[in-house]
Amino acid sequence: MAPNSRLFPAIFVTFFLFISPTFCAHDYANALKKSIIFFEGQRSGKLPPDQRLRWRRDSALHDGSTAGVDLTGGYYDAGDNIKFGFPMAFTTTMLAWSVIDMRRNMGAELGNAIKAVKWGTDYLLKATAKPNTVYVQVGDAFSDHNCWERPEDMDTLRSVYKIDKDHPGSDVAGETAAALAAASIVFRARDPAYSQLLLDRAVKVFEFADNHRGAYSSSLHAAVCPFYCDNNGYQDELLWGAAWLHKASRRREYREYIIRNEVVLRAGDTINEFGWDNKHAGINVLISKEVLMGKSNQLKSFQINADSFICSILPGISHPQVQYSPGGLIFKAGGSNMQHVTSLSFLLLVYSNYLSHANHAVPCGQKSASPALLKRLAKHQVDYILGDNPMRMSYMVGYGARYPQRIHHRGSSLPSVRAHPARIGCKAGSRYFLSPNPNPNLLVGAVVGGPNSSDAFPDSRPFFQESEPTTYINAPLVGLLAYFSAHPN
């Protein structure tokens, strides 16, 4: 179907009318650089010499020792000091996808983006070193959340949690396999030996996920719920893992697995969701690339699902679960809304690129949506994050003239080790949490949970759903910013 020039005119004229002509053009390259620096602020373990956020120091250097394994490294997922494997694996997958699809647009930041991927995969390799076992969490969330302390000072429980044959977790194992497979593509030309290691491990972890099925939140409910409890089931992660393994290995067995399990693993379910817990829209967009390139008509149903996903989030005709704020921001019920904004916008952008190559538009009832329209919608979400919004506030720390000052983040809100060498105890940090003062340490590039459905933002640490940054907000944003830094108009 050729792109249609008459696309949702009333909807989109209305939708974009609120944008003021006084907004300045954004420096997407600068925002891209900052969005990657953020991951350095989330590092756990021994920090490298080229660490750019200098207020951070080494932390959690004995992780895994209670279980006789080395689990140092990796990322703290948000503003606390726990290492949750499920969102960390999804973060790594999305960073890898950003590099795979947007590496030509990253310029000088490509090396830093790849370092961000490797910090994740180095840890995931440690977490999967034992056959039929994945270490999925380090730290007791209840103990951690009872304190407000720097990661460098942690004295809370560093309990180690794993899944194995007797305690399955196909969701987190499937996502881990996806992350390792996707990253193997990133390193294929740059470091072939490391790439092969990642792919071989992805194959083994996926076999474990598929052969020993179950949800990790059933096996580890007391540890992972309500924080990263899998509410969506493990079926989508099995398809997601298979899709990335097929993309990375080109082995027919994974294509056949996808075709054979499409219905059983419910590929078409909840198509307007995408995030650490629900991979359905991502699966359909990722697989549809082959169909649009004319390589696999057997997978046509995934492209039909991807088209339906696009229609479900377009303003004016979107699904009841997807709303838009008065300022035009995608809004979904639940906490940390920006995770939906960046993940869904990333899919809009990459699918737009796939459609452009195939000269295809998305049919939505009696109308059709062009690739250009999808790009405009994705760009509008990015611009909103960077300051084109009713609050005239950038939701990325350190970008623009006005941005959140009191983010819900322990390391950022407490004095740095350089400024305050003495230890700050568990409860001694509470006064910093409750202080009305701005955070003393700038977590450059952090994108917070964002405003509510009315575009209002409290900029207050206790309002964690609005003020807490996460790695899985930033990971898809890296790809978006890379693209728009090369294609600003």
Side-chain angles (χ1 to χ4, degrees):
M1 182 188 301
N4 185 341
S5 60
R6 298 184 296 110
L7 305 162
F8 303 108
I11 294 170
F12 279 90
V13 168
T14 302
F15 182 66
F16 291 112
L17 267 180
F18 77 93
I19 301 176
S20 166
T22 61
F23 284 134
C24 299
H26 287 294
D27 187 345
Y28 299 108
N30 180 258
L32 171 64
K33 179 179 181 178
K34 288 179 164 65
S35 73
I36 299 171
I37 289 176
F38 160 73
F39 289 95
E40 298 186 17
Q42 296 301 108
R43 285 171 169 170
S44 181
K46 180 75 174 174
L47 301 182
D50 62 355
Q51 170 82 11
R52 289 177 289 179
L53 280 186
R54 306 300 292 181
W55 54 265
R56 282 297 321 281
R57 291 289 188 272
D58 300 344
S59 63
L61 296 179
H62 303 289
D63 276 0
S65 60
T66 57
V69 292
D70 176 11
L71 294 175
T72 57
Y75 291 114
Y76 303 117
D77 71 295
D80 54 20
N81 299 323
I82 306 297
K83 293 191 301 203
F84 291 100
F86 200 7
M88 194 193 307
F90 176 71
T91 292
T92 305
T93 306
M94 294 308 297
L95 280 171
W97 196 357
S98 292
V99 172
I100 291 165
D101 273 34
M102 309 299 175
R103 67 164 59 235
R104 293 179 181 176
N105 305 137
M106 287 187 170
E109 290 306 309
L110 177 60
N112 289 321
I114 291 174
K115 285 180 184 177
V117 174
K118 193 171 187 295
W119 195 267
T121 52
D122 282 351
Y123 177 82
L124 295 178
L125 286 170
K126 293 180 180 182
T128 57
K130 188 180 294 187
N132 295 315
T133 302
V134 181
Y135 290 93
V136 299
Q137 184 175 319
V138 181
D140 176 79
F142 294 96
S143 172
D144 179 271
H145 288 186
N146 191 44
C147 294
W148 194 262
E149 59 185 352
R150 302 178 296 203
E152 294 84 357
D153 287 336
M154 270 190 293
D155 57 1
T156 51
L157 295 171
R158 300 303 287 172
S159 307
V160 174
Y161 301 92
K162 68 179 180 179
I163 55 171
D164 54 29
K165 290 180 179 180
D166 298 321
H167 309 88
S170 302
D171 33 27
V172 65
E175 182 61 69
T176 301
L180 294 167
S184 75
I185 302 172
V186 171
F187 291 98
R188 186 179 289 156
R190 181 173 289 245
D191 189 341
Y194 188 68
S195 173
Q196 192 62 52
L197 174 63
L198 293 171
L199 183 56
D200 291 346
R201 185 66 57 80
V203 169
K204 292 175 182 176
V205 174
F206 180 77
E207 287 175 357
F208 163 60
D210 192 38
N211 292 334
H212 303 280
R213 294 190 180 188
Y216 95 128
S217 48
S218 297
S219 299
L220 297 172
H221 188 274
V224 303
C225 296
F227 311 102
Y228 290 102
C229 197
D230 182 4
N231 297 308
N232 186 61
Y234 60 81
Q235 292 85 354
D236 54 327
E237 277 82 23
L238 289 176
L239 277 176
W240 180 240
W244 277 108
L245 275 163
H246 180 252
K247 187 174 178 69
S249 71
R250 309 313 298 171
R251 295 179 191 169
R252 180 179 295 178
E253 64 187 275
Y254 296 112
R255 182 192 301 248
E256 292 174 351
Y257 181 97
I258 293 165
I259 294 170
R260 186 170 67 251
N261 287 284
E262 175 188 354
V263 176
V264 176
L265 298 180
R266 309 199 307 265
D269 283 11
T270 53
I271 55 168
N272 62 353
E273 287 276 357
F274 185 53
W276 62 264
D277 184 29
N278 190 321
K279 311 305 181 316
H280 285 97
I283 292 164
N284 290 310
V285 167
L286 180 66
I287 294 175
S288 69
K289 182 179 182 181
E290 287 201 30
V291 182
L292 289 164
M293 299 297 108
K295 294 180 179 177
S296 183
N297 209 48
Q298 292 173 297
L299 301 171
K300 178 69 177 177
S301 57
F302 288 89
Q303 189 231 315
I304 294 171
N305 288 341
D307 283 353
S308 296
F309 154 68
I310 294 299
C311 298
S312 77
I313 63 170
L314 290 177
I317 59 170
S318 56
H319 192 277
Q321 290 181 345
V322 181
Q323 304 167 18
Y324 284 82
S325 73
L329 185 70
I330 291 173
F331 192 86
K332 290 177 72 71
S336 190
N337 181 60
M338 284 300 187
Q339 66 179 305
H340 307 300
V341 176
T342 60
S343 293
L344 294 175
S345 296
F346 180 87
L347 293 185
L348 282 169
L349 177 62
V350 297
Y351 198 53
S352 169
N353 287 336
Y354 302 161
L355 292 168
S356 294
H357 287 296
N359 195 33
H360 180 77
V362 177
C364 295
Q366 299 302 309
K367 301 183 184 298
S368 63
S370 71
L373 184 139
L374 304 188
K375 281 190 177 72
R376 286 202 301 275
L377 180 54
K379 185 174 183 291
H380 176 67
Q381 300 303 306
V382 172
D383 289 347
Y384 185 110
I385 291 171
L386 297 181
D388 291 8
N389 56 65
M391 293 284 290
R392 301 298 195 267
M393 170 181 277
S394 162
Y395 290 103
M396 175 183 283
V397 173
Y399 178 87
R402 184 170 179 244
Y403 48 80
Q405 300 289 322
R406 299 162 191 85
I407 67 172
H408 183 98
H409 190 277
R410 287 157 173 76
S412 172
S413 66
L414 291 157
S416 68
V417 173
R418 177 186 294 173
H420 190 292
R423 182 178 170 275
I424 301 173
C426 168
K427 294 302 184 183
S430 298
R431 69 185 184 94
Y432 298 100
F433 172 71
L434 296 170
S435 168
N437 296 328
N439 288 10
N441 306 310
L442 210 62
L443 186 59
V444 174
V447 177
V448 296
N452 63 22
S453 60
S454 301
D455 298 301
F457 179 73
D459 195 12
S460 173
R461 291 179 207 97
F463 289 83
F464 66 92
Q465 292 186 332
E466 290 85 7
S467 65
E468 187 171 20
T470 72
T471 57
Y472 46 91
I473 291 175
N474 268 58
L477 185 60
V478 168
L480 287 157
L481 291 169
Y483 180 85
F484 291 120
S485 67
H487 306 88
N489 299 315

